[in-house]
């Protein structure tokens, strides 16, 4: 049995994260995103044409993820055919280690939502726990 892996930004290989993928992309549309590091700046770009970012887009920080919730409303014009997707869409974007949450900013232009934040040094997650040696009575 083989394991599918991906390579993220110079780190080590890790098991592929399936949580952000739709199993039926034609039936369950998702928000298309790209993310990258530009020096100490983390950038997430999401394609969101045809939405009003003030009314239809909500960005929430949930632990170590960004959650994008978007509603694309259908106009009531008589259409012969449409391939546009309407309704509610959500997407979780995992954030890199060391991201400074207070620097998160979002801007929308030309159908693209861009979220940026500064990434600093990561805090060490491992620390040694000292052992206290007790002398005396048996337990």
């Amino acid at each position: 049995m083989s394991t599918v892996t991906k390579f993220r930004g110079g780190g080590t290989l890790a098991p592929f994260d399936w949580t952000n993928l739709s199993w039926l992309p034609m039936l369950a549309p998702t928000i298309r995103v790209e993310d990258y590091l530009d020096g100490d700046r983390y950038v997430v770009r999401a394609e969101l044409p045809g939405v009003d970012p003030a009314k239809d887009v909500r960005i929430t920080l949930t632990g170590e993820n960004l959650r994008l919730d978007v509603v694309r409303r259908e106009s009531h014009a008589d259409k012969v055919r449409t391939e546009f997707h309407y309704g509610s869409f959500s997407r979780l974007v995992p954030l890199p280690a060391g991201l400074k949450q207070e620097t998160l900013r979002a801007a929308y232009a030309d159908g693209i939502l861009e979220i940026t934040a500064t990434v600093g040094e990561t805090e060490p997650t491992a620390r040694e726990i000292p052992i206290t040696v007790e002398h005396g009575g048996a337990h």
Side-chain angles (χ1 to χ4, degrees), residues 6-83:
K6 70 176 179 177
F7 184 75
R8 282 262 309 178
T12 59
L13 289 175
F16 191 84
D17 179 8
W18 295 94
T19 57
N20 292 326
L21 297 179
S22 170
W23 287 102
L24 302 169
M26 297 305 286
L27 299 177
T30 186
I31 300 167
R32 296 182 343 171
V33 299
E34 63 182 9
D35 65 336
Y36 56 90
L37 282 172
D38 181 14
D40 68 346
R41 197 170 145 244
Y42 176 66
V43 180
V44 176
R45 291 170 34 95
E47 285 185 332
L48 299 175
V51 299
D52 179 347
K55 294 190 307 189
D56 301 332
V57 179
R58 186 170 151 213
I59 306 167
T60 310
L61 183 63
T62 60
E64 297 177 0
N65 295 298
L66 277 181
R67 179 181 172 97
L68 303 178
D69 292 300
V70 178
V71 175
R72 182 172 297 128
R73 302 175 199 290
E74 183 173 11
S75 63
H76 295 288
D78 291 331
K79 296 179 180 91
V80 175
R81 177 177 72 121
T82 184
E83 294 180 3

